[in-house]
Structure formats: C-alpha cells, structure tokens
Amino acid sequence: GMTVGCIEVLILQPFNYAKNMVQQQRSISLSPMVMYRGVAANCINMGSCTMIQFAVGGKLKSMVLGDNTSRNLTLAEEMSCGIGAGTVSALVGSPLELIMIQQQRKGGSAPTRIANIIENPANVGRGFVGAAIREALWTCGYLSIPPVVRRTLMESYPETFDTNDKA
C-alpha cells in the first residue's frame, strides 16, 4: 500500500501543487523543484492514512459485531465504521498536509516548516475539520460501500453472483 501510495503521490504531486496554488491565488511555477516541495510529507500522509483507515475500520467493525460474528453489519453500521476510520486518519493526515502546503508556499525543509507551524500550537489543527470530512466520506466510499454492494448482489442475484469474486 505504501509503495503504490508513493507512486500515486509522485505522479499527482504537480497537480496537487497547482491546485493548492490556484486555491491560494498564487502563481504556478513549472520548476520541478518547486512542484515537488512537500512530496515526502505527502508520501508519508498517503501511506499512513490508508493504513490507519484499514486498521481503525477493522477494529470498529469488530467492536460493533462484538461476539456475534455470524451476522453482517447493517448499512448504517458499515458506513459509520468507514466514517469513523476516515475521521481518525485525519488526525495524522491533516498536519502532514499542512506541512506539505507550507513547503509548497514557502519552500524550506520539513523541519523548518514544522518549527514554524508549532510556534502557534493552534496551527497544528488548521484544516482538520475539512480533512476529517473529506477522509470520512472517502473512507466510507471505499471501505464501507463495496461490502454492502457485494452482499446485496449476492443476496438479490445468487445465480449470477454466487461468490465474492463474482460480486
């Protein structure tokens, strides 16, 4: 997961940079040295958030099921677990994104940007609510909806979708 996440980040970093500059009404540089500022923080963010989402999502599902592992989670339970997992992952992802964006805007090393950010402790939570909502919805979409769709297909059309692989 970390390798694929890093490959994705390396490919998409120039687009991420351009999006951030447009949002901040700043000029866009075509220099790779500028476009790839913050790429290390972004790679760490992608891998760690995905890992957290899977781990927390699995733990939440286990907690909801308790000892009754013979039943399926309801749609609301599945979605709540995905939303919870995404929200928790934003605790790590949001500060890492802040580091990346500050490196893109101002240059400098990650330690320099971290030092600037923590000069005012309130900065650490900057952007958390937006990141939490985004990650909650994204995680719900990729961790919670597929099992529900798979189960629905298998129950509604058992002759066509008789295995998990087919559904």
Side-chain angles (χ1 to χ4, degrees):
M2 183 68 149
T3 302
V4 173
C6 286
I7 291 168
E8 176 189 356
V9 167
L10 292 172
I11 292 168
L12 296 179
Q13 182 73 13
F15 299 105
N16 196 358
Y17 159 77
K19 173 196 69 97
N20 289 334
M21 294 302 103
V22 169
Q23 287 175 335
Q24 297 170 34
Q25 299 177 345
R26 296 174 61 97
S27 62
I28 297 173
S29 170
L30 297 178
S31 167
M33 295 298 289
V34 174
M35 283 193 243
Y36 280 87
R37 286 179 182 161
V39 73
N42 204 9
C43 282
I44 293 167
N45 178 25
M46 181 65 68
S48 61
C49 280
T50 303
M51 175 185 67
I52 290 167
Q53 289 162 356
F54 273 96
V56 171
K59 182 63 175 173
L60 289 173
K61 288 178 181 184
S62 295
M63 289 170 59
V64 169
L65 286 173
D67 293 332
N68 189 3
T69 57
S70 62
R71 77 170 182 90
N72 291 318
L73 294 173
T74 66
L75 175 61
E77 290 170 338
E78 281 279 5
M79 291 179 69
S80 295
C81 291
I83 289 168
T87 302
V88 169
S89 74
L91 292 168
V92 171
S94 179
L96 287 168
E97 286 181 25
L98 180 59
I99 294 165
M100 177 196 66
I101 291 168
Q102 291 301 306
Q103 281 187 281
Q104 288 175 343
R105 289 186 70 209
K106 300 175 182 179
S109 67
T112 300
R113 292 301 122 218
I114 292 167
N116 292 141
I117 290 166
I118 61 175
E119 283 175 358
N120 179 358
N123 285 339
V124 176
R126 190 171 170 195
F128 171 75
V129 172
I133 292 168
R134 181 195 65 220
E135 293 302 318
L137 295 174
W138 172 256
T139 306
C140 179
Y142 89 90
L143 279 185
S144 302
I145 302 302
V148 172
V149 170
R150 182 182 310 111
R151 186 170 57 244
T152 301
L153 288 172
M154 291 176 76
E155 290 171 359
S156 299
Y157 307 100
E159 63 286 346
T160 303
F161 300 103
D162 57 348
T163 66
N164 280 326
D165 290 338
K166 290 182 181 178

